[in-house]
Amino acid sequence: MEWHYTVAAQTDAGIAKSVNQDSLTVKVANMPYGEAAMAVLCDGMGGLEQGEVASAVVVRAYEQWFLKELPLAISRSGGSPAPSLIEKSWAKIANDCNERLLDYGRDRKTTMGTTLTALLLFEGSYYIEHVGDCRAYRMSDSLMERLTQDQTYVAREVALGHMTPEQAKNDSRRNVLLQCIGTVKHVEPDFICGEYRAGDSFLLCSDGFRHELSEREMYDYCHLAVCDMDWSVSCRQENSRVMAGQLRYLIEQNKARMEKDNISAVFLKAAGN
């Protein structure tokens, strides 16, 4: 099958913050043996503009890997690289960025950090690296599946049975992270991989995008709202515009519901013939 991808992204500082500390990128490129897509979303934290710096540093590092290192890895493998190779390469990038941010913070006597959710789509397989509490979803015509687990205090308490999901949603500690890049000695990212089919969609979103929205709303306004469109390559530009409009609508819904965090999302659609 010849795969191709249509993508869109939107980000907003929100109603309460003067600086948008989220950073993101989404790229589609021709690789040896076919087209690939990559999205990276980072939610930075720190005083003044430090969170913005941290998230941008990490996004750029993964963007450079996609543009420079992935084509070589595909050529050497004669197709999709082994998941273990991608996991090892990404873990090194995460920890290299971690050291860089720790050094930067020590030099300036400050603390800065960022979450990370990276997604690669190639030849029917998806690969995800995850640190923190942004989320990645896969959507098909029959389901919306959350692919990542929040690395937060309340998520851990829910998993241990010490707290209900309803309690976690309203707990004052819901944004307390167990790890993020730039604040720990060593980063241990989650790595997730699996398969997708033509017609599937992927959504990456910051916690600010999802706090005031239900998964049903995200599924309806992202996947279902566009599933009957013509996804041929010739329609890619117009379809991307429509997808961006759907994300913008959901961002405005968050703002109308008084979400105070930065709000970001990336939307990807996989098609094949």
Side-chain angles (χ1 to χ4, degrees):
M1 181 180 291
E2 183 178 347
W3 292 95
H4 57 272
Y5 307 93
T6 305
V7 301
Q10 292 284 297
T11 186
D12 195 291
I15 65 173
K17 297 185 176 182
S18 59
V19 175
N20 189 347
Q21 295 187 321
D22 291 352
S23 294
L24 58 83
T25 188
V26 58
K27 298 289 185 184
V28 177
N30 289 318
M31 299 284 173
Y33 304 101
E35 199 169 84
M38 187 170 191
V40 186
L41 177 57
C42 294
D43 182 350
M45 60 214 72
L48 299 176
E49 296 183 351
Q50 302 304 320
E52 184 180 13
V53 171
S55 62
V57 164
V58 175
V59 164
R60 282 196 296 268
Y62 283 83
E63 187 175 69
Q64 289 303 303
W65 176 87
F66 177 72
L67 296 174
K68 295 181 179 179
E69 296 185 34
L70 180 59
L72 295 176
I74 292 172
S75 294
R76 291 170 184 155
S77 301
S80 297
S84 59
L85 187 150
I86 295 175
E87 181 178 13
K88 182 178 179 180
S89 180
W90 282 1
K92 183 178 185 305
I93 296 172
N95 278 284
D96 286 349
C97 289
N98 188 61
E99 286 297 320
R100 183 177 172 186
L101 294 178
L102 285 172
D103 290 343
Y104 185 95
R106 279 193 292 264
D107 289 345
R108 289 157 181 80
K109 296 181 172 54
T110 188
T111 299
M112 57 197 297
T114 182
T115 68
L116 162 70
T117 303
L119 167 70
L120 173 68
L121 303 178
F122 184 65
E123 292 292 287
S125 295
Y126 66 80
Y127 311 85
I128 296 169
E129 186 179 49
H130 176 67
V131 178
D133 63 350
C134 291
R135 288 183 179 177
Y137 295 90
R138 182 177 69 89
M139 297 172 284
S140 69
D141 290 345
S142 59
L143 61 83
M144 179 170 182
E145 176 187 11
R146 177 150 62 100
L147 302 174
T148 55
Q149 296 300 316
D150 299 341
Q151 295 179 351
T152 61
Y153 170 81
V154 295
R156 183 183 65 186
E157 292 302 290
V158 170
L160 292 172
H162 299 162
M163 188 181 292
T164 68
E166 292 73 22
Q167 289 171 328
K169 184 176 180 180
N170 297 305
D171 194 281
S172 61
R173 298 162 292 182
R174 70 177 185 175
N175 294 325
V176 175
L177 298 173
L178 300 180
Q179 68 169 342
C180 65
I181 297 174
T183 65
V184 294
K185 185 175 180 180
H186 182 76
V187 182
E188 297 182 0
D190 290 339
F191 183 77
I192 307 107
C193 55
E195 298 181 349
Y196 58 89
R197 296 180 178 180
D200 286 358
S201 304
F202 290 83
L203 176 69
L204 270 61
C205 64
S206 66
D207 61 329
F209 184 86
R210 61 177 170 78
H211 282 157
E212 301 299 330
L213 297 176
S214 68
E215 290 189 355
R216 180 80 243 181
E217 287 176 294
M218 291 189 283
Y219 180 72
D220 286 351
Y221 283 94
C222 290
H223 184 80
L224 288 187
V226 303
C227 66
D228 292 331
M229 293 165 55
D230 180 358
W231 292 100
S232 59
V233 175
S234 62
C235 300
R236 180 146 52 185
Q237 185 173 356
E238 174 59 20
N239 289 351
S240 178
R241 185 190 66 77
V242 172
M243 291 164 65
Q246 296 300 110
L247 293 181
R248 175 50 56 181
Y249 172 80
L250 290 174
I251 286 174
E252 294 303 322
Q253 287 297 303
N254 270 292
K255 292 164 69 175
R257 298 172 192 181
M258 306 308 293
E259 171 59 49
K260 293 179 172 59
D261 204 353
N262 301 149
I263 308 168
S264 301
V266 186
F267 185 15
L268 306 92
K269 183 77 172 183
N273 51 40

